[in-house]
Amino acid sequence: MITDEQREQLRGWFTGRLPDDLFEALVEVVVDREEITVIGRIPGPRLTEDVSAAEREGAVRGRIQEFRERTREDRVEVALEAEHKFRRKVSWGVECDGERALFTHVAAPVMTRLRQPERQVLDTLIAGGVARSRSDALAWCVRLVQRHTDDWLAELRESLEHVQRVRERGPDTEGVADSSAGDPEDD
């Protein structure tokens, strides 16, 4: 579990390391055990106000693709540094005219053991055409829980961060603290 302070240090590192002209603004830096996702805002395409929704959508998609191609070299350079420093893969995304697009992201395998009633839920989602596989069905379930329990999950994360801080202040914590967060000061 990464603490708020570690998250802020990580965001600070990216803020300082990214080329000034890469994004209009750094929107979000999200981190978990496997991945750091960096999302920035880019300027939308210049369009007249009377363009159709389809033309606007196509122009935004084109702008995002142009940005992705033009900035690839800079993003790869920063990602390699960050991956070495923080021991996590770096993924990129942008926001443009209210649309969010991820360029790359990690799809980490997660091993789980399910009993028959749980497997039947997944198989029902497959039979109903909601998912193509048990893996897709499980991901769909996780997204559904996330969407309907954001407040509860945020409170749980805050509690976990508090537990982490208390553990760090406890006796005999030298060498025991979770170093997987990739302290930005390590190098």
Side-chain angles (χ1 to χ4, degrees), residues 11-26:
R11 182 181 173 91
W13 186 87
F14 276 98
T15 299
R17 177 58 186 86
L18 292 174
D20 287 337
D21 60 347
L22 188 64
F23 297 126
E24 282 185 331
L26 183 59

Side-chain angles (χ1 to χ4, degrees), residues 51-62:
V51 299
S52 69
E55 185 176 345
R56 181 175 302 283
E57 182 182 328
V60 168
R61 274 192 263 132

Side-chain angles (χ1 to χ4, degrees), residues 159-170:
S159 297
L160 291 170
E161 288 174 6
H162 176 72
V163 168
Q164 178 79 15
R165 286 190 301 272
V166 170
R167 281 184 183 153
E168 289 171 356
R169 291 193 316 254

Side-chain angles (χ1 to χ4, degrees), residues 104-123:
T104 55
H105 46 92
V106 174
V110 178
M111 177 61 97
T112 185
R113 296 184 190 284
L114 300 176
R115 299 192 188 289
Q116 188 176 34
E118 296 155 336
R119 293 190 311 267
Q120 287 174 328
V121 169
L122 300 180
D123 292 342

Side-chain angles (χ1 to χ4, degrees), residues 9-95:
Q9 288 176 348
L10 188 73
R11 182 181 173 91
W13 186 87
F14 276 98
T15 299
R17 177 58 186 86
L18 292 174
D20 287 337
D21 60 347
L22 188 64
F23 297 126
E24 282 185 331
L26 183 59
V27 174
E28 191 173 20
V29 177
V30 181
V31 63
D32 68 8
R33 285 190 244 179
E34 291 85 20
E35 176 179 29
I36 300 167
T37 303
V38 180
I39 299 175
R41 185 175 308 109
I42 62 172
R46 292 188 197 124
L47 300 168
T48 61
E49 291 193 25
D50 62 340
V51 299
S52 69
E55 185 176 345
R56 181 175 302 283
E57 182 182 328
V60 168
R61 274 192 263 132
R63 175 57 52 94
I64 290 170
Q65 187 62 35
E66 182 278 331
F67 173 86
R68 182 179 187 185
E69 297 300 323
R70 178 174 44 82
T71 63
R72 178 173 279 124
E73 197 171 296
D74 287 338
R75 290 183 294 106
V76 166
E77 184 179 325
V78 172
L80 289 173
E81 268 182 62
E83 288 171 6
H84 173 74
K85 185 171 193 64
F86 302 114
R87 296 178 206 95
R88 290 173 173 81
K89 287 292 183 190
V90 175
S91 299
W92 298 93
V94 295
E95 283 186 0

Side-chain angles (χ1 to χ4, degrees), residues 89-159:
K89 287 292 183 190
V90 175
S91 299
W92 298 93
V94 295
E95 283 186 0
C96 180
D97 260 10
E99 295 295 319
R100 182 175 275 206
L102 292 177
F103 301 154
T104 55
H105 46 92
V106 174
V110 178
M111 177 61 97
T112 185
R113 296 184 190 284
L114 300 176
R115 299 192 188 289
Q116 188 176 34
E118 296 155 336
R119 293 190 311 267
Q120 287 174 328
V121 169
L122 300 180
D123 292 342
T124 300
L125 293 171
I126 295 166
V130 173
R132 294 182 313 260
S133 65
R134 284 181 171 175
S135 177
D136 285 346
L138 187 55
W140 183 88
C141 291
V142 169
R143 286 190 302 273
L144 184 66
V145 169
Q146 179 185 20
R147 186 176 312 128
H148 293 290
T149 59
D150 279 340
D151 293 340
W152 180 80
L153 288 171
E155 188 177 338
L156 182 60
R157 286 183 187 109
E158 288 174 19
S159 297

